[in-house]
Structures are given as C-alpha cells and as structure tokens.
C-alpha cells in the first residue's frame, strides 16, 4: 500500500520573519508528510487519520459482496457476477484510481500490481478471490494509516503544550494577550502549573521547571533570576517573570517541530533505496508471473505470484522508522535536522570533541584562594577584584563573581591598564596592584617563580606595591556526564578524539580525567577543519561535537555536526544536530537510536526479500492460492510497519532518568 499524505502548509512555509513569528504558528502548524514514491512533489491522498465513514462503508460493502458471492445469494447472469462487479467498482475505486495515476506517471507501485491481480482474477471468474483481495487491501490501508497516524500524533503531541494566551507585563501592568501577539523582549508572567510559551531568561521569581519534553531531563530543574527557560516547559511551583528571547519557530519547541517537518520532507539515501527496491520487487513479481504462466499455463498460480509480493513493508516502513527515530531523538533533547543526518549518525565510527563548552562548562570558576604568609585570603581577593573590575577577561570575571558571592565590596580602581598575554596594572586605594601570570610579575621586578597550577587550574598571581600577596586558582569545570558519555561511546566501538585550541597541559588534564587517549591541542579553527577533512578522507564517518564560532567550519565539514544547545548561533546553524540540554549522554542515546533505526530498516529489507522470494516460489509451483497469497502480502506488510513503529516515542514523552554522577567533577586550566 502506498502511504501518501497531504502535507498542507508546513511551519517552515508559514513563517517568514524569524523574529516576529507568533508562537501560535508553532502550536497550530500542521506536521504532515510521508513517503514519496520516486518523486518529490506533495501527494494528495491522506491517511493521517483513522477510519472515516466512507472507508468504513466501502469496507462493509466489499465484505457483504464477498459473502454474497460465496453463498451465491443473487446471480442473474451466468457469466458475470453483478454483485461482484459492483463490489469491485465501489470498493476498488481508490486502488484503481491510484494505480491509473501511477501508470500515467510511469511509476511502478504496489497499487498497480494489485490492480492487475484483482482484474485478472475477475477476468477468469474468480470474483470471490478478487473481492477478498480488495477487502484485504482496504483493511490493510486503514491499519497502516492508523499506525502512521500514530507517528504523526506522537510528534504533534508536542504542540499541545504551548499556551494560547499569556500574561505580559506592559506599561507597568499585567495584560492577558494572545500568544500570537508576543514579541521579543516582552516580560511574561508564568504562574505555578503554567506552561512557558517562549525561550528566555528569568528576570524575577524562583521555581522548578519540568523540561522533560524539551531537554529530556527527567527531574525538575531549579530556576531563579538569570536562569534560562525553554518554551514547552511546565512551571511547577513559584511564579516566574521571563524576558522573551525567542518566540515562535525560533524557540526550542519550534526547532523540534521544524526538525520533524524537515525529516518528513527530506529523503534519506536509505529511503530512496527502499523506494527503488519496492519498484524492483514489483517488476520481479510481474516477470516471475509471466514466466509462471508460460511454464505452467496456470492462471491461478500466476495471479498468486503477483499478489504475494509485499514491497510496501519497506516502502512505508522506512519513512516511518526515520520519523520515529527523529521523534524519539527530539524527546531526548536532540534536534536532528533531517533523515539523512539520522542515517549518517547511525554509521558514525569516530566522534571528535571540542573541549571548552563541550566537555567543560566553559565557565571558569575560582577553585582556591592561596595567600602568602602574613596575608589574609580576604586581602588577596579584594586586591584582585579591584584590579579585575574593568577587565573583560573570563578569568577576571570569575574572580569578581567569587568575591561578590562572598559578600565582599569591590572598590573602583583609580586607574586600569591591561597588557594582553601578561596581566593587569591598576591603582587602588591601598596602592598599585598587579594581577597576571608569572611572566608579568617578573616584567615588573618581582621575583616570582614559575609556579605550577593548583592541580589542573590556572594560577593568577596578585601583587601590591612590589609585594606578592598570593595566587588564585581558576579553572573550567568538566561536565559531570562527560566521562560516562565517552566511556559509553568507546564501549560502542566508536573512536573518540579531543581537538582543542587550549594548550597541551590543559588538554592532557582533560584527557586523563575523561579517559581520552587521542588528544591534539593548540589548534586554530583552520587546523581543526583540516583534521576533520583528513579523517573523512580516510573513510571514517565522523561526528564533530562543538559549541563555538571557531567550531563552525569543522561542524560543517564533518559527516554529522553536533552543536551544544548553549553554543553560538553560528555553531547551531552549521550543525546537523543540536543538543538542547547540553548533555553528552543524550548524544550517546541519540547515536543508539540512530543505530537502532538503521537496524530496523535493514531488518525490514531482509524480511521483505525473504518473504517475497519464498512466496513467489510457492505460488509459482501452485502451493499458494490467491487468498493465502493476499493474506501473506498484508500480514508481512503490517509486520514490517509495526516493526518500524517500535521507534515511535512513547506518549508520555518522558525520558529515562539519568543516574547521578558517581565521580566528582574535575577542573582544567584556562590560560590567560
């Protein structure tokens, strides 16, 4: 059976302006699409529904006609069954219509081969057989439509979570407006139990949000001032005021829906192969039928050969498997931008990882404050914070954050001067302050030794009026799930490589902690790109995971580019897959889903070939009648479609809980 669907207007077609698309367009967007048979234009026949009264009436009429034909209820003409002809014309109309359209387009489909079998059986007076075949086909199409419809519903279930009306603070008061009227920058009030309609930042309030439908995180996530929130999440406890940063299709919700729509519109190589194989099977069946008739002159065996071939199992089951894989990945918090990328992800044998923002949080934090003898930790921290107040360096910002978190008052420096690669010279109320590395201290006449970092952290030296006050250890924290994710990838036989622009000491510290054996450090963006090109040139199927602008060329060059959700827009646009929750274990789970999708598709391929070849052989030798051939055709088709349906996401949309980290997060150096 040909699973064709009316795509209608997709979200990508409806929305034009990325900054003004109303959230309602995401909610009401029609998620359509389906299998195409050798062409890319939209189909007219829709099966994205259950059993309607027309289909039900047609099935009932054909069933009654078959029963009447079996019991010979009324047969006024000796040569032709009037009831049989009426039943075939009414019941077989949609099959005959589609077969005729396919014939005009010179496309070989199962509808055309089944029409040949139905007409041939009727031509030799086997009206009961023709009616039963027609009945099998009609019932199978309904069951197939229900199964494929379940796939659409599993995805559209996401849309129902966005609110239709929202409370917005405007002109000093709170107004209730339609979701269509939201704009970027609006401050939105979300009450306890309410659904968050936008991606944004909390400006006031404290609560916990259920983000399981967006990031796959099974436990509620605490939200306070400055925290990021996602559209589609559920505010569980306190009231939140959120400044909208992304609305409509730009939200995480919108991107999930776009990914599914794109997957349905795109045609992965394995899907094109499925359509080609389905056509070849039909041609083979017709050739085998012709040969059977030439050898045996048995018309019943000939018709049985045509009927038994069930290529629809791969033609319809393949796009359903891809849709299921895309949908299940979306529920894990991984947006895959098309079926071709899902298929390629299932072939990946090498994963290349960036460090900062990918394996680490990308946020340097103070690990230790180490004063010299006779100096207090508070005195050291206050001097460093004063000097760093006007600094834009990440290490300086982390020192300021740490000082303020301890309630220290940061004094404004009277003067400030920054020397790139060295450090800061500033004048505070208590004297001249130097903050930087050991080379900066020696440049200014201090006998500071080249001290090693504390553990794996960078050491920021602080001096005042020619006296060394001490050092502050600052480090980027390794993501707690990174070690488990890398171990899981290696257990799957996937080669893991770390490419970073940081120095070798930093990269080695990360590699040792995470169990990475292949490490390349000090790389410029173009050097990362050349490494990816070399791996691809060696025949490796490479997935590159990164988050920064400098990763964008490598992400685009890899077979599958994977961007962290916290990464830059450039990285996300260059990537084929985005991890909304920044959880590398979700990436591992998505790789497993991709491999399982490919496995199911090839199971369908192998099963179809075995069943069809065995069926053709039995039918050709007269061991398989038309009725049994039709039953085998329908049963095998539905079996393979249901096999693909195993990939569809569960209705609850809940991800499996992730075990708590069993290892303490480590620290790595960050070079000034």
């Amino acid at each position: 059976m040909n699973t064709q669907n009316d795509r209608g207007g997709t979200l990508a077609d409806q929305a034009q302006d990325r900054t003004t698309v109303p959230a309602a367009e995401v909610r009401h967007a029609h998620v359509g699409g389906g299998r195409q048979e050798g062409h890319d234009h939209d189909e007219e026949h829709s099966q994205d529904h259950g059993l309607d009264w027309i289909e039900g009436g047609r099935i009932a009429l054909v069933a009654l006609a078959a029963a009447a034909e079996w019991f010979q209820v009324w047969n006024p003409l000796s040569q032709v069954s009037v009831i049989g002809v009426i039943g075939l014309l009414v019941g077989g109309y949609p099959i005959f219509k589609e077969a005729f359209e396919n014939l005009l387009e010179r496309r070989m489909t199962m509808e055309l081969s089944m029409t040949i079998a139905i007409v041939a059986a009727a031509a030799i007076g086997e009206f009961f057989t023709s009616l039963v075949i027609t009945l099998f086909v009609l019932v199978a199409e309904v069951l197939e439509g229900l199964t494929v419809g379940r796939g659409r519903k599993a995805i559209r279930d996401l849309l129902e979570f966005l609110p239709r009306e929202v409370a917005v603070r405007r002109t000093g008061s709170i107004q209730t407006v339609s979701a269509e009227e939201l704009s970027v920058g609006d401050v939105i009030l979300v009450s306890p139990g309410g659904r968050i309609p936008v991606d944004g930042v909390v400006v006031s309030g404290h609560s916990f949000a259920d983000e399981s439908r967006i990031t796959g995180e099974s436990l509620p996530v605490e939200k306070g001032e400055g925290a990021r929130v996602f559209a589609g999440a559920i505010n569980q406890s306190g009231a939140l005021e959120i400044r909208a940063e992304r609305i409509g299709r730009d939200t995480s919700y919108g991107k999930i829906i776009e990914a599914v729509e794109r997957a349905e519109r795109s045609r992965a190589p394995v899907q094109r192969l499925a359509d080609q194989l389905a056509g070849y099977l039909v041609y083979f069946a017709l050739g085998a039928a012709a040969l059977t008739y030439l050898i045996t002159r048995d018309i019943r065996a000939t018709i049985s050969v045509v009927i038994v071939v069930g290529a629809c199992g791969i033609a319809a089951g393949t796009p359903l498997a891809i849709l299921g894989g895309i949908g299940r990945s979306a529920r894990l918090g991984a947006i895959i931008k098309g079926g071709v990328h899902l298929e390629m992800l299932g072939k990946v044998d090498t994963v290349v990882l960036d460090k900062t923002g990918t394996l680490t949080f990308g946020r340097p934090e103070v690990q230790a404050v180490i004063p010299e003898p006779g100096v207090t930790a508070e005195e050291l921290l206050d001097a460093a914070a004063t000097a760093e107040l006007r600094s834009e360096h990440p290490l300086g910002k982390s020192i300021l954050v740490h000082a303020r978190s301890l309630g220290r008052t940061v004094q404004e420096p009277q003067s400030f001067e920054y020397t790139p690669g060295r450090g800061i010279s500033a004048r505070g109320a208590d004297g001249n302050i130097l903050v930087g590395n050991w080379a900066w201290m020696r440049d200014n006449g201090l006998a500071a030794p080249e001290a090693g970092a504390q553990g794996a952290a960078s050491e920021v030296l602080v001096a005042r009026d020619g006296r060394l006050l001490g050092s502050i250890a600052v480090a980027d924290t390794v993501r707690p799930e990174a070690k488990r994710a890398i171990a899981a990838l290696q257990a799957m036989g996937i080669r893991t490589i770390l490419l970073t622009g940081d120095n070798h000491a930093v990269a080695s510290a990360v590699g040792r902690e995470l169990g990475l054996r292949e490490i390349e450090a000090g790389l410029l963006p173009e050097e990362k790109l050349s490494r990816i090109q070399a791996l691809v040139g060696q025949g490796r199927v490479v997935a590159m995971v990164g988050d920064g602008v400098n990763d964008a060329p490598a992400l685009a060059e890899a077979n599958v580019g994977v961007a962290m959700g916290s990464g830059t827009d450039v990285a996300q646009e260059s990537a084929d897959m985005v991890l909304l929750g920044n959880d590398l274990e979700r990436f591992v789970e998505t790789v497993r889903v991709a491999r399982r999708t490919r496995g199911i598709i090839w199971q369908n391929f192998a099963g179809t070939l075995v069943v069809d070849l065995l069926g053709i052989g039995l039918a050709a030798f007269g061991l398989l009648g038309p009725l049994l051939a039709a039953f085998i055709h329908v049963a095998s088709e539905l079996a393979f479609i249901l096999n693909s349906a195993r990939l569809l996401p569960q209705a609850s949309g809940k991800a499996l809980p992730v075990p708590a980290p069993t290892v303490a997060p480590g620290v790595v150096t960050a070079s000034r």
Side-chain angles (χ1 to χ4, degrees), residues 393 417-425 437 439-440 443 672:
H393 197 282
E417 183 178 348
Y418 172 60
T419 302
R422 287 292 192 267
I424 294 170
S425 175
N437 54 29
W440 180 238
D443 289 347
R672 183 184 280 273

Side-chain angles (χ1 to χ4, degrees), residues 348-361:
V348 162
D349 56 23
T350 304
V351 173
V352 176
L353 300 137
D354 175 47
K355 180 186 71 67
T356 305
T358 302
L359 297 176
T360 67
F361 286 103

Side-chain angles (χ1 to χ4, degrees), residues 303-558:
I303 295 172
S304 297
V305 169
V306 177
I307 294 172
V308 78
V309 175
C312 297
I314 55 172
T318 299
L320 181 61
I322 292 173
L323 175 63
I326 293 282
R328 186 172 287 271
S329 299
R331 294 295 180 90
L332 289 170
I335 298 176
I336 300 177
K337 298 180 180 179
V340 62
H341 306 308
L342 178 71
E343 179 185 354
M344 191 61 66
L345 186 63
K347 300 177 181 178
V348 162
D349 56 23
T350 304
V351 173
V352 176
L353 300 137
D354 175 47
K355 180 186 71 67
T356 305
T358 302
L359 297 176
T360 67
F361 286 103
R363 300 190 303 269
E365 297 178 355
V366 172
Q367 304 295 323
V369 178
I370 309 165
E372 289 289 301
V375 180
T376 66
E378 291 77 10
E379 184 182 359
L380 169 61
L381 187 59
D382 288 346
T386 296
E388 297 282 11
L389 185 61
R390 295 179 182 175
S391 173
E392 293 298 321
H393 197 282
L395 297 183
K397 290 182 177 180
S398 67
I399 291 173
L400 279 172
V401 168
H402 182 70
R404 286 167 174 161
S405 69
L406 296 178
R408 307 302 298 174
T409 300
V410 181
Q411 295 182 353
E412 183 82 16
Q414 298 173 11
S415 64
F416 173 87
E417 183 178 348
Y418 172 60
T419 302
R422 287 292 192 267
I424 294 170
S425 175
R427 181 168 182 80
D430 298 329
N432 295 321
I433 304 170
L434 298 175
V435 177
N437 54 29
W438 65 270
W440 180 238
M441 296 298 158
R442 292 201 305 183
D443 289 347
N444 284 274
L446 273 81
E450 185 172 351
Q454 299 295 323
S458 296
E459 188 176 49
V460 178
L461 299 174
V462 183
R464 183 173 58 206
D465 292 336
R467 178 192 178 193
L468 185 66
L469 299 180
S471 63
I472 299 175
V474 182
D476 191 0
T477 305
V478 172
R479 294 183 181 274
E481 78 282 357
K483 186 172 185 178
R484 297 192 300 273
I486 290 170
L489 289 173
Q490 293 172 345
M492 295 164 64
I494 295 177
R495 179 183 176 188
T496 53
I497 304 172
L498 171 60
L499 300 183
T500 178
D502 217 329
N503 61 62
H504 186 74
V506 174
S508 296
V510 173
R512 283 193 302 269
E513 181 172 348
L514 299 181
L516 287 164
R517 291 181 291 275
E518 295 188 64
I519 302 168
E520 295 189 52
L523 300 179
L524 297 173
E526 55 268 26
E527 292 174 322
K528 285 187 180 182
L529 175 62
S530 66
R531 298 296 192 278
I532 297 295
Q533 290 173 333
L535 288 168
V536 173
Q538 294 168 10
R540 312 288 299 191
V541 182
V542 181
M544 168 70 189
V545 188
D547 78 320
V549 174
N550 61 330
D551 297 321
L555 290 172
E557 184 65 26

Side-chain angles (χ1 to χ4, degrees), residues 150 154 157 213 328 331 645-654:
R150 178 192 159 202
D157 179 55
R213 288 176 170 265
R328 186 172 287 271
R331 294 295 180 90
R646 292 188 296 132
L647 285 164
L648 295 175
Q650 300 300 313
S652 66
K654 298 287 185 180

Side-chain angles (χ1 to χ4, degrees), residues 57-74 81-91 127-132 134-135:
R58 186 178 286 120
I59 290 173
L61 177 63
V62 174
L64 290 174
E69 185 67 24
W70 177 260
F71 292 107
Q72 296 292 311
V73 172
W74 183 62
S81 170
V82 176
I83 293 178
V85 171
I86 295 173
L88 288 177
L89 291 177
V90 175
F127 281 98
F128 177 73
T129 299
S130 294
L131 287 168
V132 171
T134 303
L135 181 63

